[in-house]
Amino acid sequence: MRLYQRIIAGGLVVAGLAGLLGCERDNTPKPRKFAETNSAALADGDLAIGDLTGDGLADIVKLDQTGVYVIKNLGNGNFSEPYKIADTQSAAGASGSVAIGDLDGNGLPDIAKLDQTGTYILRNMGNGQFEYLKK
């Protein structure tokens, strides 16, 4: 059984079957769970970190076989539960890689998703909503 799949940002965030973890220092590093992964599907996939909401706090984007999820940074080391912002857009439900950046030049961070079926862009609509760009 694989406990951790990926380490992001110098070990500050770890994703895997245990959920999203952060490290606190109390003389020794101790993992602290930020959010539960409520299904086996959410436990696998890719992560990206960036401020999606414009509040100056780094949020987490989670991609897996069921969709694209956001875990909002609430501040003070607290995060929301993952909420789905989009389906995968691939018939096979393929997971892949995800990245955050302003791809359309409007000043808002968009989400790019790459899987074996193609590259997809989720445009940030500025109201907490994202929509896939059409070809």
Side-chain angles (χ1 to χ4, degrees):
M1 182 169 96
R2 179 178 57 189
L3 181 58
Y4 302 118
Q5 178 186 351
R6 178 168 290 211
I7 297 173
I8 304 288
L12 295 178
V13 175
V14 178
L17 295 177
L20 296 173
L21 303 174
C23 292
E24 291 181 350
R25 289 216 171 253
D26 184 23
N27 294 331
T28 59
K30 296 177 184 176
R32 181 169 59 94
K33 190 175 291 190
F34 287 126
E36 295 288 336
T37 51
N38 295 321
S39 71
L42 268 178
D44 200 14
D46 194 33
L47 291 176
I49 298 173
D51 181 9
L52 295 172
T53 58
D55 60 5
L57 301 172
D59 305 304
I60 301 170
V61 173
K62 174 79 173 93
L63 168 68
D64 66 28
Q65 294 178 357
T66 65
V68 182
Y69 296 82
V70 169
I71 302 167
K72 185 175 175 354
N73 188 336
L74 303 174
N76 296 320
N78 297 306
F79 288 80
S80 72
E81 289 297 315
Y83 59 93
K84 191 174 193 176
I85 60 167
D87 291 324
T88 61
Q89 292 294 305
S90 61
S95 63
S97 297
V98 65
I100 298 171
D102 181 9
L103 301 172
D104 59 3
N106 68 353
L108 300 172
D110 306 304
I111 299 169
K113 173 182 132 12
L114 171 68
D115 65 30
Q116 61 259 40
T117 67
T119 302
Y120 303 89
I121 306 298
L122 280 161
R123 183 172 187 256
N124 188 336
M125 304 306 293
N127 56 1
Q129 303 293 313
F130 291 80
E131 68 177 29
Y132 279 105
L133 288 180
K134 309 281 190 264
K135 288 185 179 181

